[in-house]
Amino acid sequence: MLYNFGARLIGILLWLNGAKAKVYGKQNLPKEGGYIIACTHNGYVDIFNLGVSLMPRQIHFMAKKQLFDITVLGPLIKRLNAFPVDRDNPGPSVIKIPRQLIKEGKVVGIFPSGTRSTENVELKQGAITIAQLSKAQIVPAAYVGPRNLGEVFKRQKGYLIYGKPFTVAGGKEARDESTDYLEQELSRLTEELKLKITK
């Protein structure tokens, strides 16, 4: 209930400010069943645009555990379908919660940033591992646009592109290959989006 209301409200806010993302490749999204979206991440407006673009389906976002400790934000994001992950000490819940959500036919959102760092590699590997264990499709996505409300109010335009879904075969080798493939797809989609913007 709160998610749908919030998504509609945010969609109107983004639209009024010209920041609602123009979406490419939406035909690549699976029509039914649970799956994973792995999207580039450079702020928090990308989360809003991603959520709005998928309506009426809802996304269950993987979020840092520390965010849930913030007095007002914690209870709010929990009601907006976010679930906590302890990146410093990852436990079984890192895999268990998203696997259960996918089993229930829900969409799980993971944000491995487009830049290269140890944490980002771990997040990409985490997305691939979840896809492998849940036998779910994973959809790579890229976002270019406003990163915060300041940039939204400056009327910066948002752009979002979905790539083709893929599955991960069993075994470590397939997992490593799929992690590399996801890395390449996120970079390729970002470049493709930038080309579309400049045309």
Side-chain angles (χ1 to χ4, degrees), residues 13-191:
L13 174 67
L14 294 172
W15 177 74
L16 287 172
N17 286 278
K20 187 176 179 181
K22 183 172 184 179
V23 182
Y24 299 94
K26 198 167 181 181
Q27 71 277 6
N28 291 324
L29 293 171
K31 299 292 186 289
E32 55 187 26
Y35 61 91
I36 298 161
I37 292 178
C39 186
T40 57
H41 187 47
N42 61 4
Y44 53 82
V45 179
D46 47 15
I47 299 172
F48 296 155
N49 264 315
L50 196 67
V52 169
S53 78
L54 229 73
M55 289 295 290
R57 294 204 70 177
Q58 299 183 7
I59 305 180
H60 295 255
F61 293 108
M62 181 181 282
K64 288 191 295 187
K65 177 178 174 284
Q66 291 86 337
L67 295 176
F68 291 82
D69 296 330
I70 300 171
T71 307
V72 177
L73 183 63
L76 178 62
I77 61 174
K78 191 172 182 180
R79 290 187 67 187
L80 292 173
N81 292 349
F83 60 93
V85 172
D86 188 344
R87 292 180 185 172
D88 298 322
N89 300 292
S93 64
V94 173
I95 303 293
K96 186 178 178 181
I97 294 173
R99 279 186 73 184
Q100 182 59 36
L101 289 168
I102 291 165
K103 187 178 178 182
E104 292 170 4
K106 293 170 181 170
V107 181
V108 172
I110 300 175
F111 293 96
S113 177
T115 58
R116 289 175 180 271
S117 76
T118 303
E119 183 180 81
N120 294 327
V121 169
E122 286 174 357
L123 285 170
K124 289 184 180 75
Q125 288 174 342
I128 293 298
T129 301
I130 293 164
Q132 185 183 55
L133 293 175
S134 59
K135 297 180 173 58
Q137 294 184 91
I138 181 165
V139 179
Y143 171 85
V144 174
R147 295 165 294 179
N148 52 54
L149 284 180
E151 293 180 357
V152 167
F153 292 132
K154 288 178 182 175
R155 302 187 69 80
Q156 287 190 21
K157 182 66 181 167
Y159 300 88
L160 180 64
I161 187 168
Y162 292 108
K164 291 187 177 178
F166 65 96
T167 53
V168 184
K172 184 181 183 303
E173 187 176 337
R175 193 162 61 245
D176 291 342
E177 287 175 358
S178 294
T179 302
D180 291 339
Y181 176 75
L182 177 60
E183 175 85 48
Q184 292 163 15
E185 273 295 275
L186 293 177
S187 297
R188 185 189 68 78
L189 288 168
T190 301
E191 292 308 310

